[in-house]
Amino acid sequence: MISHLVRASVLAFACAVAVTTTASARTPYDGAWSVTIVTQRGTCDRAYRYGVQIIDGQVSYQGVVTFSGRVSSNGNVRVRVSSSSAYANGSGRLSRTAGRGSWSGQSGNSACSGYWTAERGG
């Protein structure tokens, strides 16, 4: 469960990237992003790729987990992903075209952590 949670969170939080049209974008980071989440420590799945959206600086993802996150005006990203008793937190930075950061999470007694990368486009 944490591997799905972490992947989704990093991507989303990573993640923290959105999809709107260029014409209606309210922040330089709004739009579709492709996020890759990589596990470096723990027993979570090795890597996942997700399509996430940022709308008016808010991270958005359509899935079975809950995302809450924000991209600040300077590109700093903070995201929390949760599902049942599992959760993951991620942070990092976006430019107008790419981003990267780190994440860590917990599911029961299992802990995982790693890094995420993002590219504009879904």
Side-chain angles (χ1 to χ4, degrees):
M1 174 56 85
I2 191 166
S3 61
H4 293 296
L5 173 63
V6 170
R7 291 177 199 154
S9 68
V10 172
L11 291 175
F13 106 179
C15 347
V17 205
V19 165
T20 59
T21 64
T22 304
S24 65
R26 295 184 182 190
T27 77
Y29 312 103
D30 285 2
W33 291 79
S34 176
V35 179
T36 301
I37 301 167
V38 177
T39 300
Q40 293 177 297
R41 288 180 207 67
T43 59
C44 298
D45 293 337
R46 173 72 179 134
Y48 279 90
R49 183 174 301 242
Y50 291 92
V52 300
Q53 298 180 21
I54 297 174
I55 301 170
D56 197 22
Q58 297 289 323
V59 178
S60 175
Y61 175 78
Q62 296 295 323
V64 297
V65 298
T66 300
F67 287 87
S68 58
R70 181 142 186 81
V71 181
S72 67
S73 61
N74 67 358
N76 286 336
V77 175
R78 289 207 165 279
V79 178
R80 180 173 180 91
V81 179
S82 60
S83 178
S84 189
S85 64
Y87 68 90
N89 294 304
S91 63
R93 188 167 179 115
L94 294 177
S95 70
R96 292 180 185 261
T97 60
R100 65 182 176 171
S102 61
W103 64 267
S104 64
Q106 186 80 28
S107 179
N109 292 328
S110 299
C112 294
S113 62
Y115 68 91
W116 61 266
T117 61
E119 296 178 330
R120 190 174 283 278

